[in-house]
Amino acid sequence: MKELILQERVVHQGRSFKGHDARIDFEPNPARNGWVWVVGGHEVPITPDIMESRQRRVALVYKGNVLEEFEHIGILRAAGIQHARLRSPAGKSWPPYDGCSFALWNAVMQHVHEGNTLTPYRVPCGHVAHQLPKDIRRSVSYTGNGNDHDVLRMTGLINFARLDENDYRFGHVYPRDDLRTLMRARTLGWPPSLWYVSRLASKFGWPHHKNIVWPQEMLPSEMLEETGRHRLLDMLAVFNFVAPAGTYLAGSLHSCMGNHATDLGVLKKLWTVQKVRLKEAA
């Protein structure tokens, strides 16, 4: 896997989830000090320290500034962009939204060139897991000392008993498998009753009804497949931020009906381990 180096500023514009005009800017980072969030006069390193789980999304939060839906942006780190400056409006902002990450990826990939080969990195830990306190069935776990030396072997299961009583299992081997299949996967519209609200809102100008996976509009097997791929996208978008510059995350990652809260629960535990290691190295 090669590092991707941003050559010039990329302005990505569109409509936010709420339907308003939205914009984010990607800029080269000559300092090569990772990802930096430029907002409200601050230049903030993008690390798990400023990531928060919100309802069905991950946000960057710093001194009153919020960038929502970061999981649809951070996937570019997993694609190989190791260093970048991400600029968003001060205060609370929503990026352009298309239900997935493909439009952003397509816009940025036209302005990169390949650099050095990235090396795999496994967080020096055993089995690290996080469960939701109110629903222990939902969990995510990472293992860094297994047999997966040069890949991140991702597996998961989801269950929607209203559609299929059986568990649906899915997986991805990163970076061996095609990342674009995950970037094209749209978010799930759930519960299905929201379809009626979305359909009505679309008649008044809300632009995203078609950007959402609605159970009413797909076969159950198709819905489960795309939802599984989007779940993998969500995990990969944030977990690579624990890997040092010049590397990509390896090991194994498993989600059992997990969500953004379980992802960040494990990620912050791994980040604590990583910060201790970096402090010792210094």
Side-chain angles (χ1 to χ4, degrees):
M1 180 179 181
K2 296 286 189 179
E3 178 185 355
L4 299 180
I5 301 172
L6 193 60
Q7 296 176 291
E8 57 191 348
R9 183 182 185 185
V10 178
V11 177
H12 184 53
Q13 301 182 82
R15 304 283 293 277
S16 72
F17 177 77
K18 295 188 174 183
H20 302 144
D21 290 339
R23 165 180 170 165
I24 54 172
D25 294 15
F26 271 91
E27 302 170 354
N29 185 355
R32 293 184 63 80
N33 58 347
W35 278 44
V36 176
W37 183 26
V38 183
V39 62
H42 305 284
E43 297 196 2
V44 190
I46 298 178
T47 71
D49 286 330
I50 64 168
M51 297 180 189
E52 289 188 6
S53 172
R54 301 197 166 190
Q55 186 177 14
R56 303 193 66 174
R57 61 189 185 274
V58 172
L60 300 184
V61 181
Y62 184 79
K63 292 189 175 180
N65 299 291
V66 180
L67 177 58
E68 303 283 8
E69 293 171 346
F70 181 70
E71 71 278 8
H72 291 177
I73 301 170
I75 192 64
L76 295 182
R77 172 66 165 80
I81 297 180
Q82 297 269 300
H83 307 282
R85 291 165 59 85
L86 174 62
R87 191 179 297 271
S88 68
K92 183 175 181 178
S93 65
W94 295 73
Y97 181 83
D98 66 345
C100 60
S101 297
F102 189 74
L104 174 62
W105 177 87
N106 194 46
V108 173
M109 288 303 110
Q110 300 176 52
H111 303 277
V112 300
H113 69 269
E114 289 189 347
N116 295 327
T117 299
L118 301 176
T119 58
Y121 174 79
R122 292 180 294 155
V123 181
C125 63
H127 184 78
V128 177
H130 185 80
Q131 299 172 319
L132 292 184
K134 295 182 179 180
D135 189 353
I136 61 174
R137 300 173 303 163
R138 296 182 177 273
S139 66
V140 167
S141 61
Y142 171 84
T143 303
N145 60 358
N147 297 322
D148 296 309
H149 299 290
D150 61 348
V151 299
L152 180 65
R153 195 168 301 277
M154 305 173 68
T155 56
L157 68 86
I158 51 180
N159 185 291
F160 296 95
R162 293 167 61 178
L163 301 176
D164 189 335
E165 63 183 15
N166 298 314
D167 293 339
Y168 176 76
R169 299 178 183 274
F170 51 91
H172 183 88
V173 180
Y174 166 79
R176 187 181 303 163
D177 294 343
D178 189 351
L179 197 58
R180 290 171 295 182
T181 63
L182 307 188
M183 291 185 179
R184 288 189 174 98
R186 299 164 298 165
T187 193
L188 174 65
W190 196 263
S193 58
L194 289 177
W195 182 89
Y196 300 99
V197 178
S198 173
R199 185 68 175 168
L200 179 62
S202 70
K203 296 183 181 298
F204 291 90
W206 190 64
H208 300 306
H209 182 78
K210 65 182 183 302
N211 294 330
I212 294 175
V213 174
W214 295 108
Q216 293 94 328
E217 299 177 353
M218 304 178 71
L219 293 173
S221 59
E222 295 174 336
M223 188 215 79
L224 290 170
E225 180 182 355
E226 188 163 358
T227 300
R229 286 189 280 117
H230 192 89
R231 179 76 193 101
L232 292 164
L233 168 76
D234 286 345
M235 291 193 290
L236 198 52
V238 296
F239 273 97
N240 254 287
F241 281 89
V242 79
T247 71
Y248 63 88
L249 186 63
S252 60
L253 189 60
H254 179 70
S255 170
C256 177
M257 297 187 291
N259 58 17
H260 296 304
T262 52
D263 291 347
L264 291 191
V266 174
L267 180 65
K268 289 178 181 291
K269 292 176 183 179
L270 297 178
W271 184 236
T272 298
V273 172
Q274 181 70 347
K275 285 194 291 187
V276 171
R277 185 175 182 276
L278 293 173
K279 185 176 181 180
E280 291 174 348

